Amino acid sequence: MPADLRTAVATVCLSGALEDKLAAAASAGFDGVEIFEPDLVASPMSPGEVRLRCADLGLSIDLYQPFRDLDSTDDARLAASYRRAEHKFDVMRALGTDTVLVCSSVAADAVTDRDRLAAQLHGLAERAGDRGLRLAYEALAWGRHVNTWDASWDVVRRADHPALGLCLDSFHVLSRASEVDGIADVPGEKIFFLQLADAPVLSMDVLQWSRHHRLFPGQGGFDLPRFLGAVLRAGYRGPLSLEVFNDVFRQADPVRTAVDGHRSLLALAEATAAHGAGVDPVGGPAPDLEGTAFVEIATGGDEPGLDHALAALGFARTGRHLSKPVDRWEQGRARILVNRSGEHATAISALAVESVDPAGAARRAEKLGAPLLPRSRAPGEADLPAVTAPDGTTLFFCRPGVAADWSGDFHATGDAADGVGVRDVDHVGLAQPFDQYDEATLFYRTVLGLQPGSTGEFAAPFGLVRSRALADPSRRVRLALTVSLLRRGDWAPGIPEPQYVALAVEDIVAAARAARAAGAPLLAIPDNYYDDLAARVELPPDRLADYRELGVLHDQGPDGAYLQVCTEVLAGRIFVALVQRVSDVDGYGWADTPVRMSAHRRQRLTRRQLSSG
Amino acid sequence: MPADLRTAVATVCLSGALEDKLAAAASAGFDGVEIFEPDLVASPMSPGEVRLRCADLGLSIDLYQPFRDLDSTDDARLAASYRRAEHKFDVMRALGTDTVLVCSSVAADAVTDRDRLAAQLHGLAERAGDRGLRLAYEALAWGRHVNTWDASWDVVRRADHPALGLCLDSFHVLSRASEVDGIADVPGEKIFFLQLADAPVLSMDVLQWSRHHRLFPGQGGFDLPRFLGAVLRAGYRGPLSLEVFNDVFRQADPVRTAVDGHRSLLALAEATAAHGAGVDPVGGPAPDLEGTAFVEIATGGDEPGLDHALAALGFARTGRHLSKPVDRWEQGRARILVNRSGEHATAISALAVESVDPAGAARRAEKLGAPLLPRSRAPGEADLPAVTAPDGTTLFFCRPGVAADWSGDFHATGDAADGVGVRDVDHVGLAQPFDQYDEATLFYRTVLGLQPGSTGEFAAPFGLVRSRALADPSRRVRLALTVSLLRRGDWAPGIPEPQYVALAVEDIVAAARAARAAGAPLLAIPDNYYDDLAARVELPPDRLADYRELGVLHDQGPDGAYLQVCTEVLAGRIFVALVQRVSDVDGYGWADTPVRMSAHRRQRLTRRQLSSG
C-alpha cells in the first residue's frame, strides 16, 4: 500500500464488544480506529487499557467521537458543556488520542449567530489546545443551524483557532447534494479529519437514512471519488476513515465486515486516483474479461439427475479429470464441470473467467483483500490462480481461448453431441448469504471489474427478494446476485435458495422442445401465467401455445424480451435456464422471478413431502 | 360478531402460496378475501379451482386486484388496456367475483384531463357492466394525476356509471394527510370497496413506505377510527378489508398473521363504535386493571441461583403449591412464582393481572381471538381464566386484593422477610420473537386495554434493538416489549434475549446495598459508565460513588431520573431489576439499555466460556 494512504474505521461500523471491533479492524489491515464513545462506555476496559490493546494490535486511535450539542444560547448550559468536555479530554489523554469530533448542535438552544457560535467553539478550542488536543467540527446534515460543510467551514474560519478544524463526513455532505468541488479550496491543514460513507439514494428522513442505511464506499449511490478528490486536492493527508451506521453490519461478523470496509477504501482510492487525485493503492484497472471459461457445480451426492439433465439439454461429457471425480460437459462455448468430490453441499462452487491477464487479475484481487486460494494439485495439472468470493464461490482466472489453461487436466472422452443450440454461458445466478450481500457486490465489482446493472425487488412466495446484476463492460461475463430482504425465519422453509446457470440460445422454443424431447426435467409453469401473458402482451397464438407447452417465461421490456425456460431444481439446489435475449435486451427476467420461484418452491416441497411421506 | 360486520383480507398480506393464504384467512375467521393477481398468476390452481377452494373454506372473493394504468393519451394503448381488461373479466367470472380494483395510473401517458379520464373509465365500466361486473377506482397516493380520494371521487362522479364506484384505501388517504371527514358526504353506494391499513408515521418516499411498512390497523400511527367512521357515516356496508404490504408479514407464518389481522379489524371496529359509528363487535372496553397479582418464572433446571437471588433481594418464600413444584415468593405487593415443573425453557411464563372483572376481561380476550387456555387443575385449586399472548406468555385474570383468587392453591410456609424495600412489581420486560412484535403490541394493547408509551431504539452489542412501553391508564400494570431490528444470524450469539421483572423501590441505594450484603448477584457496570455519567449529570460525589459501587444505572430525563440496579442473568434467561422512579418519571431506562445489555452479554459469554472451557 502506498506510504501516504492511511486507513481507519470507526468502531461503530462493526458488531460486537469493543475488543471484538478492535481485533477485527486490525485483522483487516486498518491502520487506525475512531473510538465511538458508547463502545467505550459499555466496555470494562479502561481508556488506558484500550490504548494498550490498540498499541498491541498496531492500531492508532485517530479520533474520539462524538461530542454533541456544545453551543448554547444559555450560559449555564454552555458552562455544563465545557465541564463535560473537560471530562472527555481526560478520557482522550488516557486513550492517547488528540482529536475529538464535535458535531453541530441539534438542540433547541443551539446558537444561530455565527460569531457567537464561533466564540463558543473558540473557547473550547482554547481549553483543548492547552491540553495538546484538537477539535474537528462537523456539520450534521440535520444540524439545527449548521448543516452544510460550508457553514461549518465559515464557523471554523470565524473562530480562527489552531486547535479547531473541520471534520468532513461524506454522508453529511452528499446526502444534502451539496456542492463538493469547493472543498478543494479549503486549506488542507484545516481539515482535521475525514469520514467516508456511501449510501443508497433514498428519499427519506436524512437522520433515519444516516442511522440505518449507510454503506461502505462503492456500495451505494454517492459520487465518492469526486468528493475524496476535492478533499485530497485541498491538501488533506490524514487517514481515510470509515463511519458507517448500517443495520446489517451491526449484527454481522465484524471480521468480515472489516475486510469489506478495508476493500472499499482501497477501491475508492483507486477510483479517485483514476480521476487524478491521490495515489492508486491497487495498481491499475481490472484486466479485461473475454468470457466464462467454465462453471463448476459441486455436488456431494451421486444422484444421476444432474448428468441426465445436462445430457438432455444437449451437453456432451467431453472429459474426465485426471485425478478427481470431475466431469467436463460442453456445448458451444459453454463448459460445465460437475465435481463429485463430495466436499461441499450442492452449489455452484466455482466460476472461471477468461482474463487477458490472469496473473495480473489475481494480483489485483489479492491487493483487494481476496487472498489467493491454495490449490491442491496433482502433478501436471493446470495452475489456475483463484480467490474465494464472500459467498464461498471460487473464482478462477484463465487465459482466453478454448480451455487453454486447464483442458490438460482432463482425459478427453471423444464424446460429442448435437446440442440444442446453446452458444455460451449467459450468466450465473448466485443466491447470497444475508449478511454478505453488499460485500459480495463490491467484491465482484472491484475484483472482477464488473459494472452494476439493473436491480429488482420481487415478492417471492416466502418474502421479498432483491436482485442485482453485474456485468463486464463487454457483457461477456454476467452475474445475478440475489438475497432475501429480511433474514428468513422458521416459517419460510429453510432450504437454501437455488443457484443457477443461464445458457444463451438463439431460439428458445426449438431449444426447449429438443431438450424436452430428450427428457430434460423442464419446470412446469402454471396456465394462469399464460392467461396473464396473453392479456399483457400481444403474441401470435401459436407462439403463446408453444410457450405454454414448454414453460417459456416471457419478460417483455421496452427494448426487447427476455425469454427463459428453467429446469427443475437438480441435486437439491441447482437449476439450469435456457435464455434468449430478443433484440439483445439487457435484462434478467426479473419480472418473472416470483412465478419461477413459486414453481421451484412447489417442486421442492412436493419432492420433500413425497420423500418424507 | 355483529351481522353487519364483514371482514376480508387481501392475499398479499400473507406469506406462502395461494393455498396457504386462503387456509390462513379462513382459519382466522375472515369472511372473505381479495385475490391479489400475482398470487393467482403464480398458482397452479385455475380460477375455477380457486373459487371452489374458497367456497369450501367459507370465504367469499370480494375483490380482484389490481388493474393498473388503464387510461392513456394514446388511443392504441387505451385499446390495449380495454383488451387486457376483457381478459381479466374472464378471470373474474371464473373466480366468481364481481368487483375489480382499478388504480389511478402512474404512467407517463396517464390522462390529465378529468373529463377525458372519466370517459375512458366510463368506457371500461360499460364493458364491465355488460358482464355484471363493477370497477372500484382507487387513487394511489403516488398516482400521476389522480392521487387523492377527492380527485378519484371527482372522476367517478364525472364518469357517472352504475358499474363504476370508489375504492377507498386508508393508506393512500392518510399517508397524504388528506382531509377525511368529507368522505362522509360521498353516497355510500358509490363506495364499492374499503381497504384498511395502518403505518408508522415515517418521513420517506410514499411508494416505499407503502410497499414495505404498512401495518394492520392499530399497529401504526394513523387515525383509522376517524377514517372508518367517515366511511361508515357515508353509508358503506361492504366488508372491512385489510391490504397490508409488510416485509415481516411477507415471511412470517400466515396463520399467525391472519389472526393478528383479524384481531386488528375487531379492535378497529370497537374503537370506531366508541366514536359513534358502526357497531362494536367486542362488547365494551377492557375492564380496569388494578395491578399485577403475580409474575411466574418457569425454569426447567434446579439451579439454586434464582432462589438464592430472590432471597437476597429480600423476598420470602411464603408458599408452596398444593400439587405442583411451584413456590410463591413475596415482598411488599410483589409476588413471584417460581415454577419448576420443567415443561419450559426458562422464561417469564405467566403474568397475572388484577382486573375489576376477570370473567369479563377473559370474555373480551376470547372475542379478540385469544382463545381461553384450558388449565389442568387439581381439585380445590383456583380457576383463573387465562389466555396465551403471542410471545407464549400466559395471561391470568385475577380479582384485585391480596391473592384473593389463587392463594388457596398454596400451603403457607409461615416464612417472612424484612425485605430490601420492594413495594411492588414496576413492570415486566419481555423480549419478543422477531415475527410477532407488532402482533404482540396490538395483543397486549387490545386484550389488556394498555396504552402505548415511549419507544426507543438502541445499539445493543450485536445489533439494533427496539423497545416499546405499554401501560394501563393508571400505570399500575406496565410492560416493556423488546425486539431485534433484524432477525439475528450466526454471528450474534444465539442465546435468547433475557426477560426481566422490574421491582419498585423507594431508595435504590439502600435497597441495592441491602441486597448486595445478602449476596445478591448484582450486575457489574463498567467504571467508564460512571466517568461518562459524571460528565453528563452533576451528581453529589458520594451519590456517584454509591452508584459506582452498586452498579446503579441513572437515566436522566427532563422530568426526573429512572434508576435501576440489575442482577446478573439467572437460570439462563431471567434477571431482576430494582427500580426507583425519581419524581415518578415515566421512563424505562432506555438510554442505559446498551450498557446493561453489554454487561449481561459479557456475563453470559464468560459463563459459557467457563462452562465449555
Side-chain angles (χ1 to χ4, degrees):
Chain A
M1 194 177 311
D4 70 341
L5 176 65
R6 295 191 62 251
T7 58
V9 60
T11 54
V12 73
C13 301
L14 304 171
S15 185
L18 184 55
E19 56 270 27
D20 301 316
K21 297 168 185 239
L22 297 178
S27 75
F30 284 98
D31 302 303
V33 292
E34 307 175 25
I35 299 288
F36 186 60
E37 182 169 282
D39 287 326
L40 179 68
V41 167
S43 174
M45 287 192 286
S46 71
E49 288 166 342
V50 173
R51 175 187 200 152
L52 290 175
R53 178 73 61 96
C54 287
D56 284 349
L57 292 167
L59 294 169
S60 55
I61 301 181
D62 296 321
L63 189 75
Y64 186 72
Q65 66 123 321
F67 189 85
R68 297 187 192 280
D69 297 337
L70 163 72
D71 50 290
S72 179
T73 52
D74 174 337
D75 288 344
R77 289 176 65 96
L78 177 64
S81 284
Y82 282 167
R83 194 181 70 81
R84 176 163 55 98
E86 294 284 358
H87 279 269
K88 299 306 174 188
F89 293 163
D90 294 342
V91 171
M92 291 169 65
R93 295 299 296 256
L95 280 171
T97 187
D98 68 353
T99 308
V100 60
L101 175 70
V102 177
C103 306
S104 63
S105 176
V106 301
D109 63 335
V111 173
T112 313
D113 179 75
R114 292 264 171 98
D115 287 321
R116 186 174 178 188
L117 173 54
Q120 295 189 359
L121 272 165
H122 189 281
L124 192 66
E126 193 68 24
R127 285 164 169 81
D130 286 348
R131 302 182 65 172
L133 305 175
R134 340 187 282 172
L135 315 179
Y137 183 60
E138 174 185 76
L140 297 178
W142 53 91
R144 184 164 285 255
H145 305 301
V146 174
N147 44 42
T148 61
W149 75 264
D150 47 319
S152 61
W153 170 230
D154 180 50
V155 174
V156 166
R157 204 167 33 189
R158 288 174 198 241
D160 190 23
H161 192 286
L164 178 67
L166 281 183
C167 175
L168 294 175
D169 178 311
S170 62
F171 181 88
H172 293 298
V173 174
L174 298 172
S175 63
R176 296 183 57 102
S178 302
E179 191 280 321
V180 303
D181 297 335
I183 292 173
D185 299 328
V186 175
E189 70 278 7
K190 293 304 278 185
I191 304 176
F192 282 7
F193 208 75
L194 176 65
Q195 293 178 317
L196 293 164
D198 203 341
V201 176
L202 298 173
S203 165
M204 66 184 298
D205 175 69
V206 68
L207 175 60
Q208 295 301 318
W209 187 17
S210 172
R211 291 232 174 123
H212 297 282
H213 302 287
R214 287 188 182 204
L215 291 167
F216 291 131
Q219 295 176 339
F222 289 166
D223 187 352
L224 284 170
R226 181 171 178 173
F227 173 79
L228 178 58
V231 175
L232 294 178
R233 277 194 296 277
Y236 176 75
R237 292 294 175 267
L240 309 190
S241 189
L242 297 166
E243 195 203 29
V244 168
F245 307 90
N246 178 287
D247 291 356
V248 176
F249 299 168
R250 280 185 189 274
Q251 49 98 71
D253 181 346
V255 173
R256 294 199 68 126
T257 309
V259 167
D260 182 27
H262 196 257
R263 179 180 300 128
S264 79
L265 285 181
L266 298 180
L268 172 60
E270 178 190 37
T272 307
H275 284 77
V279 176
D280 176 2
V282 182
D288 286 347
L289 300 181
E290 303 219 332
T292 299
F294 62 83
V295 177
E296 182 185 66
I297 297 171
T299 178
D302 53 2
E303 195 217 319
L306 187 58
D307 288 357
H308 173 255
L310 289 173
L313 288 165
F315 281 79
R317 186 181 348 220
T318 61
R320 292 174 188 273
H321 197 274
L322 297 173
S323 61
K324 299 175 188 168
V326 180
D327 290 339
R328 184 182 66 206
W329 296 80
E330 290 189 73
Q331 183 176 187
R333 272 180 46 85
R335 294 165 217 112
I336 295 176
L337 305 189
V338 177
N339 184 337
R340 288 201 164 76
S341 62
E343 294 161 17
H344 304 286
T346 298
I348 292 181
S349 49
L351 173 66
V353 294
E354 295 180 344
S355 167
V356 296
D357 177 9
R363 277 195 304 274
R364 175 188 165 83
E366 197 173 18
K367 282 184 187 163
L368 285 165
L372 289 181
L373 197 71
R375 191 167 179 234
S376 65
R377 283 173 292 119
E381 290 192 348
D383 179 16
L384 298 179
V387 296
T388 305
D391 58 8
T393 308
T394 300
L395 294 182
F396 289 103
F397 297 100
C398 306
R399 281 181 292 143
V402 182
D405 290 330
W406 56 282
S407 58
D409 290 6
F410 290 82
H411 285 296
T413 62
D415 285 359
D418 292 339
V420 301
V422 168
R423 287 188 293 108
D424 204 344
V425 172
D426 182 274
H427 72 280
V428 172
L430 297 173
Q432 297 295 304
F434 181 78
D435 284 342
Q436 268 86 58
Y437 192 58
D438 289 300
E439 178 189 355
T441 307
L442 182 71
F443 179 94
Y444 285 114
R445 224 197 69 206
T446 58
V447 168
L448 293 184
L450 304 185
Q451 298 171 337
S454 66
T455 64
E457 207 173 273
F458 326 103
F462 297 93
L464 292 179
V465 164
R466 182 172 289 161
S467 288
R468 189 180 283 159
L470 293 160
D472 80 292
S474 71
R475 292 187 184 153
R476 282 181 286 193
V477 174
R478 293 173 183 263
L479 288 177
L481 306 182
T482 300
V483 75
S484 300
L485 215 63
L486 284 179
R487 194 196 307 278
R488 296 289 163 81
D490 293 338
W491 155 252
I495 46 181
E497 288 298 331
Q499 300 175 316
Y500 68 91
V501 185
L503 302 165
V505 301
E506 299 284 358
D507 180 342
I508 190 98
V509 169
R513 183 160 281 137
R516 205 186 54 165
L522 302 187
L523 182 67
I525 300 299
D527 269 340
N528 293 340
Y529 173 83
Y530 297 98
D531 295 341
D532 179 63
L533 181 62
R536 290 187 286 116
V537 183
E538 290 201 65
L539 291 170
D542 56 339
R543 174 75 60 88
L544 185 70
D546 287 340
Y547 287 2
R548 193 186 291 264
E549 174 198 347
L550 297 163
V552 177
L553 296 168
H554 177 117
D555 183 6
Q556 182 69 49
D559 304 321
Y562 180 94
L563 311 178
Q564 59 178 319
V565 169
C566 301
T567 68
E568 295 187 346
V569 171
L570 305 165
R573 196 178 177 198
I574 302 290
F575 69 92
V576 179
L578 303 173
V579 310
Q580 179 185 346
R581 296 177 179 275
V582 179
S583 313
D584 279 333
V585 67
D586 186 25
Y588 291 82
W590 297 145
D592 292 321
T593 300
V595 169
R596 195 271 301 158
M597 283 188 165
S598 292
H600 273 142
R601 189 67 80 160
R602 197 154 52 238
Q603 173 224 333
R604 298 170 94 191
L605 290 179
T606 306
R607 288 282 161 79
R608 293 166 98 208
Q609 284 156 2
L610 289 175
S611 67
S612 68
Chain B
M1 194 176 309
D4 68 343
L5 176 65
R6 295 191 62 252
T7 58
V9 60
T11 54
V12 73
C13 302
L14 303 171
S15 185
L18 183 56
E19 56 270 29
D20 301 316
K21 298 168 185 239
L22 297 178
S27 74
F30 284 97
D31 302 303
V33 291
E34 307 175 24
I35 298 289
F36 184 60
E37 182 169 282
D39 286 328
L40 179 68
V41 167
S43 174
M45 286 192 287
S46 72
E49 287 166 341
V50 173
R51 175 186 201 153
L52 290 174
R53 178 74 59 97
C54 287
D56 283 350
L57 292 167
L59 294 169
S60 56
I61 300 180
D62 296 321
L63 189 75
Y64 186 72
Q65 65 123 321
F67 189 86
R68 299 188 190 279
D69 298 335
L70 163 72
D71 49 289
S72 179
T73 53
D74 174 338
D75 287 345
R77 289 176 65 95
L78 177 65
S81 285
Y82 283 168
R83 193 181 69 82
R84 177 164 55 99
E86 295 284 358
H87 279 269
K88 299 305 172 187
F89 294 162
D90 294 342
V91 172
M92 292 170 63
R93 295 299 297 256
L95 280 171
T97 187
D98 68 354
T99 308
V100 60
L101 175 69
V102 177
C103 305
S104 63
S105 175
V106 301
D109 63 335
V111 173
T112 313
D113 178 74
R114 290 265 170 97
D115 286 322
R116 184 173 180 189
L117 173 55
Q120 295 189 359
L121 273 164
H122 189 281
L124 192 66
E126 193 68 23
R127 287 164 168 80
D130 286 349
R131 302 182 64 172
L133 305 175
R134 334 188 285 170
L135 315 178
Y137 183 60
E138 173 184 76
L140 297 177
W142 53 91
R144 184 164 286 254
H145 305 302
V146 174
N147 44 43
T148 61
W149 74 262
D150 46 320
S152 62
W153 171 230
D154 179 49
V155 174
V156 166
R157 203 167 34 191
R158 288 173 197 243
D160 190 25
H161 192 287
L164 177 67
L166 280 183
C167 175
L168 294 175
D169 178 311
S170 62
F171 181 88
H172 293 299
V173 174
L174 298 172
S175 63
R176 296 185 56 102
S178 301
E179 192 279 323
V180 304
D181 296 337
I183 292 172
D185 300 328
V186 175
E189 71 278 7
K190 293 304 279 185
I191 303 176
F192 282 6
F193 208 74
L194 175 64
Q195 292 178 317
L196 294 164
D198 203 343
V201 176
L202 297 173
S203 165
M204 67 185 297
D205 174 70
V206 68
L207 174 60
Q208 295 302 319
W209 187 18
S210 172
R211 293 232 172 124
H212 298 283
H213 301 289
R214 288 188 181 205
L215 290 167
F216 292 130
Q219 296 177 337
F222 290 166
D223 188 352
L224 284 169
R226 180 171 179 174
F227 172 80
L228 177 57
V231 175
L232 294 178
R233 275 194 297 277
Y236 176 75
R237 292 294 175 267
L240 309 189
S241 188
L242 297 167
E243 195 205 29
V244 168
F245 308 89
N246 178 287
D247 291 355
V248 176
F249 299 167
R250 280 186 190 273
Q251 49 98 69
D253 180 346
V255 172
R256 295 201 66 128
T257 307
V259 167
D260 181 28
H262 196 256
R263 178 180 301 126
S264 79
L265 284 181
L266 298 179
L268 171 61
E270 179 190 37
T272 308
H275 286 76
V279 178
D280 176 3
V282 183
D288 286 347
L289 300 180
E290 304 218 331
T292 300
F294 63 82
V295 178
E296 182 184 68
I297 298 171
T299 177
D302 53 1
E303 197 217 319
L306 186 59
D307 288 357
H308 172 254
L310 289 173
L313 288 164
F315 280 79
R317 185 178 353 218
T318 62
R320 291 174 188 274
H321 197 274
L322 296 172
S323 62
K324 299 175 188 167
V326 179
D327 290 340
R328 183 182 66 207
W329 296 80
E330 289 191 71
Q331 182 177 189
R333 273 181 44 84
R335 296 167 215 109
I336 295 175
L337 306 189
V338 177
N339 184 336
R340 288 201 164 76
S341 62
E343 294 161 16
H344 304 286
T346 298
I348 292 180
S349 50
L351 173 66
V353 294
E354 296 181 344
S355 167
V356 297
D357 178 8
R363 277 195 305 275
R364 175 188 164 82
E366 196 174 17
K367 282 183 187 164
L368 285 164
L372 289 179
L373 198 69
R375 193 168 178 232
S376 65
R377 284 171 292 120
E381 293 191 347
D383 180 15
L384 298 179
V387 295
T388 305
D391 59 9
T393 308
T394 302
L395 294 182
F396 289 104
F397 298 100
C398 305
R399 282 180 293 145
V402 181
D405 289 332
W406 56 281
S407 59
D409 289 7
F410 289 83
H411 285 296
T413 62
D415 287 358
D418 294 338
V420 301
V422 168
R423 289 188 292 108
D424 205 342
V425 170
D426 182 275
H427 70 280
V428 172
L430 298 174
Q432 297 296 303
F434 181 78
D435 284 342
Q436 267 87 56
Y437 193 58
D438 290 301
E439 178 188 357
T441 307
L442 182 71
F443 179 93
Y444 285 113
R445 226 198 67 208
T446 56
V447 168
L448 292 184
L450 305 185
Q451 299 170 337
S454 66
T455 63
E457 207 172 274
F458 325 105
F462 297 93
L464 292 179
V465 163
R466 183 172 288 161
S467 287
R468 189 180 282 159
L470 293 159
D472 80 291
S474 71
R475 293 187 181 151
R476 283 181 286 192
V477 173
R478 293 174 183 262
L479 289 176
L481 306 182
T482 300
V483 77
S484 301
L485 215 64
L486 285 179
R487 193 195 307 277
R488 294 291 162 81
D490 293 337
W491 155 250
I495 47 181
E497 288 298 328
Q499 300 176 314
Y500 67 91
V501 185
L503 302 164
V505 300
E506 300 283 358
D507 179 341
I508 189 100
V509 169
R513 183 160 281 139
R516 205 185 54 164
L522 302 187
L523 182 67
I525 301 299
D527 269 339
N528 294 340
Y529 173 83
Y530 296 98
D531 295 340
D532 180 62
L533 180 61
R536 289 187 288 117
V537 184
E538 289 202 65
L539 290 170
D542 56 339
R543 174 76 62 86
L544 186 71
D546 287 341
Y547 287 3
R548 192 186 290 264
E549 174 198 346
L550 296 163
V552 177
L553 296 168
H554 177 118
D555 183 7
Q556 182 70 49
D559 305 321
Y562 180 94
L563 311 179
Q564 59 179 319
V565 170
C566 301
T567 68
E568 295 186 346
V569 171
L570 305 165
R573 196 179 176 197
I574 301 289
F575 70 92
V576 180
L578 303 173
V579 310
Q580 180 186 345
R581 296 177 178 276
V582 177
S583 314
D584 280 333
V585 66
D586 187 25
Y588 292 81
W590 297 146
D592 292 321
T593 300
V595 169
R596 195 271 301 156
M597 283 189 164
S598 291
H600 273 141
R601 188 67 78 160
R602 198 154 49 238
Q603 173 225 332
R604 298 169 95 191
L605 290 179
T606 305
R607 287 282 161 76
R608 292 168 98 209
Q609 283 157 0
L610 288 175
S611 68
S612 68

